[in-house]
Amino acid sequence: MCGIVGGVTNKDITALLLEGLNRLEYRGYDSSGLIVLSKNNSFDRIRSVGKVRNLENILKAREQKISGNIGIAHTRWATHGEPSIDNAHPHISMNSVSLVHNGIIENYIDLKNEQLNRGYSFSSETDTEVIAHAIDFAMKSCNTLISSVQLAIKSFSGSYGLGVISSKYPDQIIATRKGSPLVIGIGTNGNYIASDQMALLSVTKEFIFLEEGDVAEIKIDKITIYDLNGNLVVRPIKISMLKAGSVDLGNYDHFMQKEIFEQPQAIRDTLESRITNDSIVISAFGFKAEKKFNKVKQVQIIACGSSYNAGLVAKYWLEDIAKIPCNVEVASEYRYRRPIILNDTLFVTLSQSGETADTVEALKAAKIINCNICTLCITNSAESSLTRLSDLTFLTHAGPEIGVASTKAFTTQLVSLALLACSIGKLQNTINRSQEKSIINGLKKLPGLIHKALHQEEKIKKLATRFQNKNSALFLGRGTMHAIAMEGALKLKEISYIHAEAYPAGELKHGPIALIDKDMPVIAIAPNDELLEKLKSNLQEVKSRGSQMIVFEDENSLIEPMEAMEVISITSNVGRITAPIIFTIPLQLLSYHVALSKGTDVDRPRNLAKSVTVE
Ligand code: G6P
């Protein structure tokens, strides 16, 4: 939700700001902008609506090139105020302060009224402009930029990651964060800030991850950090394991396509060192995990979007394998109700980014309701708000996921959740050694099986053209496949803008069957499991209403092809853990190719953002 990048260097900063914006575009692309302090210490700003390439085109067309050693930039996902030039960041107050912001200032209307009375004027509809004016006002009574920012932020409620520069202090950037991510990159030619380390990989691998409420003064050769109480602090420097190339497209056309095809390797990486001698390494969840999992009596899973769908699959596994009750709920609902959280609850947050605001807040709320619970986060981001707030962390090792529609993060979450169910089952003796071995063997076969499923791409691509003129689609599955159908429907909605719904196949007759006619494509998932015969009856019910159907089956499900029904075999005799992971693949490919045939922006679908760090 909005991306920030900035730096103070001994070189021209403009190219790095643009590169950083491109790398951060997954966080929003309603508008972008950058500002530098030029040689005479005056602001030089450009802004543009839409994607970063529009900003690049404006820059190229400008006669007088932008250049400076200090600058900040922003790519926006609009919350307050429509996507427009006036609402694009950076914002400026009184030609003295300029800033970029990620987050929401909830009390901005009160602050705005106060500032109007003080004589400030507003050129945008954003909540952000009040921050710039508040810092400018604070500068009247403070003698440094950092103390002005420290004073101003006292008046804000809400969340912020901020990069602030001032024409009166041309040698520094002030960075601060609360509820939104912000890292400092330490380079040889200067120091930098960004919402995500990926933006800075071309200039550094050394990062400082700011804590909640930290305020930092960043100069070319010196970084000074104060905590939220104003105490001088030293935060550890971490070396990033990410490679600059891992966030490039390589030979692929889209990040989503690249990430779909990376799944065999992503799963191998997720399993690596988590299994030894066909046995799960429980300490992979943290050194205290064994003690905690021994006592767990119920599991609560909290997540949003695709991560929520992964949680729904895990409920089946935890109840079936570990024999403990499991609830799954979307974070935006959970955080605002008064849930009962029993002792010995394992509270699991699932999140690719580790930064989704609702998930982070739900975790904080749960810890207040019952401080005795054990908290585990399963995330793809080692340095994130969720990892900092949780007792235990399990990293999915999917590698950077750039495409807004989640693919490899989802399947590696499923692998991680299977390991979790198996770990608790093993410790609580609900599975024996041979059952553990068989689950592990299934997981180890996944990369090969996914590879095989990916081979069906050409057939799926042909079917995708049928969706070009469709307005709706229905996805059917039973058991864990209902959650996978939900993920398939979400993927189609997200990137092709076709309305899609998922239903448990047995529930169809209680309403949605009324929607079925020749214009409503139905996509069904048919693994060879104990519900297969029931599913076959459900398919007959749909077929007899004239629907155009696509069935993704297990070779041994032996679905009889009929007129207007395409059956594609995806796999052969896979188990209850591996099946949902493998049947995700054709649904990802289908939505990818439908989006391509409709000509939508696959990696940056309208109105969405990869990481939703605002409520
Ligand atoms: C956004 C993304 C989804 C993602 C969801 C949760 O809506 O577009 O792809 O599933 O956030 O993100 P998280 O990082 O918490 O898994």
Side-chain angles (χ1 to χ4, degrees):
M1 243 13 35
C2 301
I4 289 175
V5 59
V8 44
T9 72
N10 55 17
K11 295 181 163 175
D12 179 23
I13 190 80
T14 323
L16 179 74
L17 295 181
L18 278 176
E19 183 191 327
L21 286 182
N22 274 306
R23 299 228 185 271
L24 292 172
E25 215 181 22
Y26 73 89
R27 301 180 65 86
Y29 31 81
D30 287 330
S31 65
S32 61
L34 63 81
I35 195 164
V36 298
L37 269 178
S38 52
K39 290 260 171 323
N40 56 1
N41 291 341
S42 63
F43 289 134
D44 197 353
R45 169 174 74 168
I46 53 161
R47 297 181 289 174
S48 134
V49 174
K51 306 209 164 103
V52 175
R53 65 170 174 265
N54 300 348
L55 191 75
E56 284 171 322
N57 290 339
I58 294 176
L59 257 182
K60 275 188 208 139
R62 249 179 66 138
E63 264 177 32
Q64 201 192 339
K65 296 292 160 221
I66 277 197
S67 119
N69 300 122
I70 175 164
I72 48 177
H74 186 268
T75 177
R76 178 169 186 246
W77 187 81
T79 57
H80 295 64
E82 57 169 10
S84 68
I85 302 254
D86 281 345
N87 290 334
H89 302 214
H91 291 284
I92 298 176
S93 175
M94 301 305 221
N95 255 329
S96 122
V97 174
S98 178
L99 58 82
V100 285
H101 170 217
N102 168 204
I104 292 179
I105 301 301
E106 288 162 359
N107 58 337
Y108 82 102
I109 292 183
D110 292 345
L111 293 171
K112 188 170 178 174
N113 289 333
E114 206 175 287
Q115 292 171 352
L116 283 168
N117 288 336
R118 284 185 186 139
Y120 284 98
S121 60
F122 286 79
S123 58
S124 79
E125 304 155 311
T126 64
D127 53 328
T128 300
E129 212 176 343
V130 298
I131 309 177
H133 291 330
I135 296 170
D136 177 72
F137 185 71
M139 279 168 70
K140 298 183 198 312
S141 57
C142 301
N143 52 11
T144 59
L145 184 56
I146 189 164
S147 55
S148 312
V149 173
Q150 282 169 314
L151 178 62
I153 58 177
K154 286 195 180 131
S155 59
F156 307 149
S157 56
S159 58
Y160 50 82
L162 291 175
V164 183
I165 58 173
S166 168
S167 49
K168 297 190 180 129
Y169 299 92
D171 62 340
Q172 57 192 273
I173 296 181
I174 306 299
T176 179
R177 69 166 285 267
K178 186 182 146 230
S180 300
L182 202 61
V183 300
I184 298 174
I186 304 160
T188 40
N189 295 313
N191 293 313
Y192 310 89
I193 58 163
S195 302
D196 181 328
Q197 47 182 313
M198 278 197 295
L200 301 175
L201 287 178
S202 66
V203 283
T204 187
K205 293 232 153 185
E206 292 183 19
F207 293 97
I208 293 172
F209 294 85
L210 290 178
E211 298 282 337
E212 283 283 287
D214 279 358
V215 186
E217 184 186 74
I218 298 155
K219 295 187 173 174
I220 196 162
D221 52 359
K222 193 171 174 216
I223 295 167
T224 317
I225 306 175
Y226 296 90
D227 69 11
L228 80 174
N229 298 316
N231 301 315
L232 190 65
V233 284
V234 177
R235 300 285 180 221
I237 297 173
K238 308 236 169 122
I239 309 296
S240 173
M241 303 306 277
L242 290 176
K243 295 189 194 93
S246 60
V247 289
D248 291 332
L249 264 180
N251 293 328
Y252 292 92
D253 295 326
H254 299 101
F255 281 107
M256 183 182 182
Q257 181 193 26
K258 179 180 181 227
E259 287 153 11
I260 289 174
F261 280 85
E262 277 174 351
Q263 287 176 108
Q265 189 56 42
I267 288 176
R268 255 179 235 120
D269 292 345
T270 302
L271 289 173
E272 198 194 311
S273 34
R274 270 77 186 259
I275 291 171
T276 170
N277 297 328
D278 290 336
S279 186
I280 290 177
V281 179
I282 296 173
S283 60
F285 287 90
F287 288 111
K288 291 178 281 177
E290 186 160 339
K291 205 166 145 212
K292 303 268 185 190
F293 290 176
N294 257 320
K295 294 201 308 186
V296 167
K297 294 211 177 84
Q298 54 277 318
V299 176
Q300 174 70 58
I301 298 179
I302 293 298
C304 302
S306 292
S307 299
Y308 169 70
N309 293 337
L312 291 176
V313 175
K315 175 181 168 72
Y316 286 86
W317 292 341
L318 282 156
E319 298 197 346
D320 183 10
I321 296 168
K323 309 281 180 229
I324 48 174
C326 173
N327 269 320
V328 190
E329 194 167 328
V330 287
S332 53
E333 288 299 317
Y334 188 88
R335 63 179 284 197
Y336 286 116
R337 60 183 192 85
R338 306 271 172 276
I340 310 290
I341 309 179
L342 302 173
N343 286 337
D344 301 322
T345 293
L346 176 64
F347 192 91
V348 182
T349 49
L350 272 180
S351 171
Q352 188 283 128
S353 60
E355 297 292 351
T356 299
D358 285 323
T359 310
V360 172
E361 290 308 317
L363 171 58
K364 287 183 191 163
K367 284 168 66 160
I368 293 170
I369 293 170
N370 187 340
C371 58
N372 294 319
I373 54 172
C374 171
T375 57
L376 161 69
C377 74
I378 296 179
T379 177
N380 199 31
S381 171
E383 296 294 338
S384 60
S385 300
L386 285 184
T387 58
R388 279 189 287 272
L389 285 166
S390 303
D391 301 324
L392 306 173
T393 292
F394 189 92
L395 295 177
T396 46
H397 291 172
E401 192 182 66
I402 312 287
V404 165
S406 183
T407 52
K408 60 177 181 170
F410 177 77
T411 45
T412 53
Q413 278 174 350
L414 289 179
V415 168
S416 313
L417 288 160
L419 293 175
L420 175 67
C422 203
S423 300
I424 299 175
K426 179 178 166 173
L427 287 170
Q428 301 203 3
N429 293 321
T430 57
I431 51 168
N432 58 30
R433 179 76 187 110
S434 93
Q435 287 165 317
E436 180 190 4
K437 262 188 171 173
S438 131
I439 294 170
I440 299 286
N441 279 327
L443 292 174
K444 288 205 301 202
K445 283 187 193 139
L446 270 171
L449 293 168
I450 291 180
H451 205 71
K452 199 175 147 210
L454 287 167
H455 275 132
Q456 301 304 330
E457 185 181 19
E458 276 311 307
K459 285 187 198 160
I460 295 169
K461 189 174 168 180
K462 277 193 196 131
L463 295 178
T465 52
R466 293 185 187 177
F467 287 74
Q468 254 173 0
N469 302 316
K470 300 290 180 202
N471 298 320
S472 289
L474 206 52
F475 286 73
L476 299 180
R478 301 197 67 137
T480 51
M481 295 305 161
H482 173 230
I484 298 305
M486 287 174 69
E487 177 60 9
L490 180 61
K491 289 283 87 83
L492 193 69
K493 274 184 275 213
E494 281 179 311
I495 60 168
S496 71
Y497 317 145
I498 294 175
H499 167 244
E501 266 194 84
Y503 252 85
E507 185 65 11
L508 202 65
K509 53 189 171 294
H510 299 293
I513 202 160
L515 295 170
I516 290 177
D517 62 15
K518 63 176 181 13
D519 293 324
M520 170 72 88
V522 175
I523 299 103
I525 314 165
N528 183 21
D529 62 13
E530 65 275 19
L531 288 168
L532 178 63
E533 290 313 314
K534 306 245 175 254
L535 181 84
K536 282 183 178 172
S537 310
N538 302 141
L539 297 188
Q540 287 297 337
E541 290 159 16
V542 175
K543 196 71 221 55
S544 54
R545 269 85 188 173
S547 161
Q548 304 275 325
M549 295 195 73
I550 297 172
V551 184
F552 294 119
E553 66 153 13
D554 184 296
E555 240 164 56
N556 298 300
S557 294
L558 305 176
I559 305 285
E560 290 228 356
M562 291 175 254
E563 205 197 320
M565 180 199 267
E566 297 285 343
V567 181
I568 301 184
S569 295
I570 296 300
T571 194
S572 168
N573 270 347
V574 289
R576 64 190 160 159
I577 300 278
T578 37
I581 302 173
I582 292 164
F583 279 100
T584 303
I585 308 298
L587 303 182
Q588 295 171 342
L589 288 171
L590 181 68
S591 62
Y592 173 70
H593 284 290
V594 173
L596 280 193
S597 73
K598 291 193 71 179
T600 59
D601 189 337
V602 173
D603 286 332
R604 286 166 292 246
R606 68 184 181 205
N607 304 340
L608 297 180
K610 178 89 191 142
S611 179
V612 184
T613 53
V614 294
E615 188 178 341

